[in-house]
mmCIF file of all heavy atoms in Angstrom:
data_model
loop_
_atom_site.group_PDB
_atom_site.id
_atom_site.type_symbol
_atom_site.label_atom_id
_atom_site.label_comp_id
_atom_site.label_asym_id
_atom_site.label_seq_id
_atom_site.Cartn_x
_atom_site.Cartn_y
_atom_site.Cartn_z
ATOM 1 N N ARG A 449 117.108 12.295 65.378
ATOM 2 C CA ARG A 449 116.884 11.649 66.623
ATOM 3 C C ARG A 449 117.983 11.926 67.592
ATOM 4 O O ARG A 449 119.169 11.584 67.393
ATOM 5 C CB ARG A 449 116.707 10.110 66.382
ATOM 6 C CG ARG A 449 115.552 9.871 65.422
ATOM 7 C CD ARG A 449 115.494 8.353 65.085
ATOM 8 N NE ARG A 449 115.034 7.610 66.221
ATOM 9 C CZ ARG A 449 114.750 6.374 66.128
ATOM 10 N NH1 ARG A 449 115.030 5.651 65.138
ATOM 11 N NH2 ARG A 449 114.404 5.617 67.278
ATOM 12 N N ASP A 577 106.813 1.517 68.376
ATOM 13 C CA ASP A 577 106.517 2.953 67.930
ATOM 14 C C ASP A 577 105.518 2.975 66.827
ATOM 15 O O ASP A 577 105.040 4.091 66.494
ATOM 16 C CB ASP A 577 107.846 3.449 67.339
ATOM 17 C CG ASP A 577 108.605 4.291 68.312
ATOM 18 O OD1 ASP A 577 107.896 5.007 69.153
ATOM 19 O OD2 ASP A 577 109.825 4.249 68.242
ATOM 20 N N CYS A 578 105.311 1.916 66.183
ATOM 21 C CA CYS A 578 104.506 2.000 64.922
ATOM 22 C C CYS A 578 103.115 1.434 65.162
ATOM 23 O O CYS A 578 102.307 1.292 64.222
ATOM 24 C CB CYS A 578 105.251 1.205 63.863
ATOM 25 S SG CYS A 578 106.771 1.899 63.398
ATOM 26 N N GLN A 593 104.738 9.942 64.579
ATOM 27 C CA GLN A 593 105.248 10.132 65.970
ATOM 28 C C GLN A 593 104.734 11.403 66.565
ATOM 29 O O GLN A 593 104.533 11.524 67.740
ATOM 30 C CB GLN A 593 106.771 10.292 65.915
ATOM 31 C CG GLN A 593 107.484 9.130 65.164
ATOM 32 C CD GLN A 593 107.582 7.946 65.976
ATOM 33 O OE1 GLN A 593 108.144 7.971 67.068
ATOM 34 N NE2 GLN A 593 107.061 6.872 65.440
ATOM 35 N N GLU A 730 101.436 3.391 61.799
ATOM 36 C CA GLU A 730 102.565 3.195 60.959
ATOM 37 C C GLU A 730 102.954 1.675 60.669
ATOM 38 O O GLU A 730 103.573 1.436 59.635
ATOM 39 C CB GLU A 730 103.782 3.914 61.628
ATOM 40 C CG GLU A 730 105.059 3.879 60.714
ATOM 41 C CD GLU A 730 106.122 4.740 61.248
ATOM 42 O OE1 GLU A 730 105.912 5.402 62.307
ATOM 43 O OE2 GLU A 730 107.261 4.778 60.677
ATOM 44 N N TYR A 734 104.611 -0.334 56.448
ATOM 45 C CA TYR A 734 105.790 -0.983 55.871
ATOM 46 C C TYR A 734 105.327 -2.215 55.072
ATOM 47 O O TYR A 734 104.378 -2.914 55.370
ATOM 48 C CB TYR A 734 106.634 -1.513 56.991
ATOM 49 C CG TYR A 734 107.419 -0.474 57.748
ATOM 50 C CD1 TYR A 734 107.119 -0.156 59.058
ATOM 51 C CD2 TYR A 734 108.453 0.227 57.082
ATOM 52 C CE1 TYR A 734 107.877 0.906 59.726
ATOM 53 C CE2 TYR A 734 109.170 1.199 57.700
ATOM 54 C CZ TYR A 734 108.784 1.519 59.078
ATOM 55 O OH TYR A 734 109.579 2.501 59.693
ATOM 56 N N LYS A 739 110.760 -4.087 59.096
ATOM 57 C CA LYS A 739 110.607 -3.256 60.302
ATOM 58 C C LYS A 739 109.490 -3.865 61.211
ATOM 59 O O LYS A 739 109.384 -5.005 61.413
ATOM 60 C CB LYS A 739 110.354 -1.771 59.895
ATOM 61 C CG LYS A 739 111.548 -1.156 59.227
ATOM 62 C CD LYS A 739 112.554 -0.621 60.252
ATOM 63 C CE LYS A 739 112.227 0.659 60.902
ATOM 64 N NZ LYS A 739 113.222 1.151 61.850
ATOM 65 N N GLU A 740 108.666 -3.024 61.739
ATOM 66 C CA GLU A 740 107.681 -3.409 62.648
ATOM 67 C C GLU A 740 106.653 -4.329 62.031
ATOM 68 O O GLU A 740 105.993 -5.039 62.718
ATOM 69 C CB GLU A 740 106.998 -2.313 63.322
ATOM 70 C CG GLU A 740 107.783 -1.588 64.510
ATOM 71 C CD GLU A 740 108.886 -0.588 64.034
ATOM 72 O OE1 GLU A 740 109.185 -0.502 62.893
ATOM 73 O OE2 GLU A 740 109.381 0.072 64.940
ATOM 74 N N PHE A 745 112.454 -8.544 64.531
ATOM 75 C CA PHE A 745 112.894 -7.311 65.248
ATOM 76 C C PHE A 745 113.819 -7.762 66.343
ATOM 77 O O PHE A 745 113.247 -8.440 67.374
ATOM 78 C CB PHE A 745 111.640 -6.596 65.785
ATOM 79 C CG PHE A 745 111.763 -5.133 65.630
ATOM 80 C CD1 PHE A 745 111.294 -4.409 64.582
ATOM 81 C CD2 PHE A 745 112.527 -4.423 66.594
ATOM 82 C CE1 PHE A 745 111.421 -3.022 64.505
ATOM 83 C CE2 PHE A 745 112.760 -3.023 66.585
ATOM 84 C CZ PHE A 745 112.173 -2.327 65.443
ATOM 85 N N GLN A 793 119.099 -3.783 64.041
ATOM 86 C CA GLN A 793 117.701 -3.677 64.503
ATOM 87 C C GLN A 793 116.831 -4.739 63.995
ATOM 88 O O GLN A 793 116.030 -5.332 64.761
ATOM 89 C CB GLN A 793 117.185 -2.259 64.226
ATOM 90 C CG GLN A 793 115.748 -2.029 64.727
ATOM 91 C CD GLN A 793 115.076 -0.746 64.073
ATOM 92 O OE1 GLN A 793 115.127 -0.612 62.912
ATOM 93 N NE2 GLN A 793 114.507 0.106 64.959
HETATM 94 C C1 BGC B 52 110.482 3.295 62.809
HETATM 95 C C2 BGC B 52 110.662 2.832 64.266
HETATM 96 C C3 BGC B 52 111.188 4.022 64.980
HETATM 97 C C4 BGC B 52 110.328 5.310 64.795
HETATM 98 C C5 BGC B 52 110.901 6.484 65.457
HETATM 99 C C6 BGC B 52 109.668 4.536 62.702
HETATM 100 O O1 BGC B 52 109.600 4.944 61.391
HETATM 101 O O2 BGC B 52 109.912 2.240 62.087
HETATM 102 O O3 BGC B 52 111.431 1.780 64.349
HETATM 103 O O4 BGC B 52 111.124 3.695 66.388
HETATM 104 O O5 BGC B 52 110.273 5.514 63.393
HETATM 105 O O6 BGC B 52 111.737 7.178 64.750
#
Side-chain angles (χ1 to χ4, degrees):
R449 303 175 67 179
D577 262 325
C578 298
Q593 308 286 304
E730 185 172 357
Y734 287 112
K739 293 280 281 181
E740 279 84 347
F745 216 99
Q793 181 194 49

